[in-house]
Amino acid sequence: MAGAKEIRGKISSIKNTRKITKAMEMVAASKMRKAQERMRAARPYAEKIRVIVGHLRQVNLDYKHPFTLERPVRTVGIVVISTDRGLCGSLNLNLFKATLTAIREAQARNAKVKLCLIGSKGLQFFRRLSGVEISASVTHLGDRPHVKDLIGAVKVMLDFYRDASIDQLLLVHNVFVNTMTQKGVVTQLLPLQVMDQGKLQERWDYIYEPGSVEILDGVLLRYIESQVFQGAVENVACEMAARMVAMKSASDNAGNLIDELQLIYNKARQAAITKELSEIVGGAAAV
């Protein structure tokens, strides 16, 4: 059994660690509320533009935007949104599993894979993965990501799609379900997918001013940016929620460990006192 002094040192060290994890839990809880507000504020625009763009996939225009055209998939581009920091449980692990599944499915079809990585953790993980090309990356977006910080990396993938260097563009990010649950999802950005087909007439179209070419170029670019930005905002909310839960679990485990060590310390102290009393009694009897 370890000595009482050594056990006291362990207890003191764990108490200091619990103070840190408790502080990180409180900070994450505060940031999570603000991140949830930004996430909820961004969702209506992202969902509405997704519906509009899904309708555009079915219009009867003479001008067909490159983003609406399907072609044989020889190269798949994947935008992966991860965190910049750790200590958030299995959040990034589940995201990487979803990404690896998408990569394996693409490779099973003999398609090449190009990655656009947002977040330091994703860059650290996938740079060690062979068989995939990292075409663009951006890190250190902070707790309040801005569209202007994402445009450069996203534009690289859009230029690849226009040049037919990639034939399909996917987005992988975490979705905030609730404080305890976040899941990694894979969605297709390009080519555009049909939405609400049953609710639309057989032949229909929007009215464009000044013209369909200018409007579609602008709207579809904003659509891609909004979906990536929404993914980045949701990922921050997921990160804070996961970190809060992880730090709370760490604090609880530290408390349990302290209780166990305190019990061991008390037993060791009691054994030492009993030994000293026995020696005193034995010495007195010898005299």
Side-chain angles (χ1 to χ4, degrees):
M1 182 181 292
K5 184 177 180 180
E6 182 181 351
I7 296 174
R8 282 201 308 269
K10 289 183 179 180
I11 292 174
S12 177
S13 176
I14 295 173
K15 283 183 177 179
N16 292 335
T17 302
R18 184 172 62 173
K19 290 179 183 178
I20 295 173
T21 57
K22 192 66 177 178
M24 293 180 68
E25 175 191 347
M26 297 173 66
V27 170
S30 176
K31 289 184 177 181
M32 182 187 69
R33 287 189 288 269
K34 297 177 182 178
Q36 285 178 325
E37 293 174 0
R38 291 192 293 269
M39 176 190 69
R40 294 190 183 100
R43 268 184 179 177
Y45 176 83
E47 292 174 356
K48 189 61 178 178
I49 196 171
R50 186 186 300 118
V51 172
I52 292 174
V53 168
H55 291 171
L56 288 173
R57 180 69 174 79
Q58 305 167 73
V59 299
N60 299 282
L61 282 173
D62 293 333
Y63 169 67
K64 290 295 184 180
H65 196 278
F67 292 173
T68 65
L69 301 176
E70 294 188 6
R71 50 181 181 253
V73 179
R74 298 184 180 88
T75 306
V76 177
I78 305 178
V79 180
V80 184
I81 304 177
S82 62
T83 67
D84 284 318
R85 294 170 293 175
L87 297 177
C88 50
S90 60
L91 183 71
N92 287 315
L93 177 62
N94 294 333
L95 181 76
F96 297 157
K97 286 182 179 178
T99 306
L100 290 174
T101 300
I103 291 174
R104 292 191 189 100
E105 290 177 354
Q107 292 175 340
R109 304 194 302 266
N110 295 321
K112 298 180 181 178
V113 177
K114 294 184 178 182
L115 297 180
C116 172
L117 303 175
I118 300 174
S120 299
K121 292 299 179 181
L123 185 60
Q124 293 171 9
F125 180 85
F126 287 104
R127 68 172 29 154
R128 300 193 301 266
L129 188 67
S130 60
V132 297
E133 175 187 335
I134 299 177
S135 301
S137 65
V138 58
T139 59
H140 301 95
L141 297 177
D143 300 332
R144 298 176 63 91
H146 296 279
V147 176
K148 63 180 181 180
D149 299 324
L150 302 168
I151 289 177
V154 174
K155 186 177 184 301
V156 171
M157 305 306 285
L158 296 182
D159 289 343
F160 281 159
Y161 193 87
R162 290 191 182 95
D163 299 338
S165 298
I166 61 174
D167 306 299
Q168 184 183 43
L169 183 61
L170 305 178
L171 173 64
V172 186
H173 66 98
N174 288 300
V175 173
F176 185 92
V177 180
N178 53 52
T179 304
M180 300 297 296
T181 306
Q182 305 86 34
K183 61 179 181 179
V185 297
V186 181
T187 57
Q188 179 173 311
L189 293 178
L190 298 175
L192 302 180
Q193 293 180 300
V194 176
M195 296 186 64
D196 301 331
Q197 186 174 7
K199 299 180 182 180
L200 301 176
Q201 299 177 359
E202 184 175 351
R203 295 188 62 83
W204 71 280
D205 197 359
Y206 290 107
I207 298 175
Y208 303 92
E209 292 185 3
S212 60
V213 176
E214 296 85 351
I215 295 297
L216 286 178
D217 284 340
V219 168
L220 295 182
L221 179 60
R222 296 295 178 270
Y223 160 71
I224 300 298
E225 292 175 354
S226 71
Q227 299 308 300
V228 177
F229 175 71
Q230 176 66 24
V233 172
E234 289 220 21
N235 196 70
V236 173
C238 293
E239 177 186 358
M240 296 308 167
R243 180 170 292 119
M244 185 190 71
V245 173
M247 292 301 100
K248 184 179 186 307
S249 177
S251 299
D252 293 343
N253 291 337
N256 294 334
L257 191 54
I258 289 171
D259 292 340
E260 293 176 3
L261 288 175
Q262 191 68 50
L263 181 60
I264 295 173
Y265 171 74
N266 291 337
K267 288 181 178 179
R269 183 167 172 267
Q270 184 179 16
I273 293 172
T274 302
K275 182 180 179 181
E276 290 176 1
L277 289 174
S278 298
E279 292 175 352
I280 293 171
V281 172
V287 173

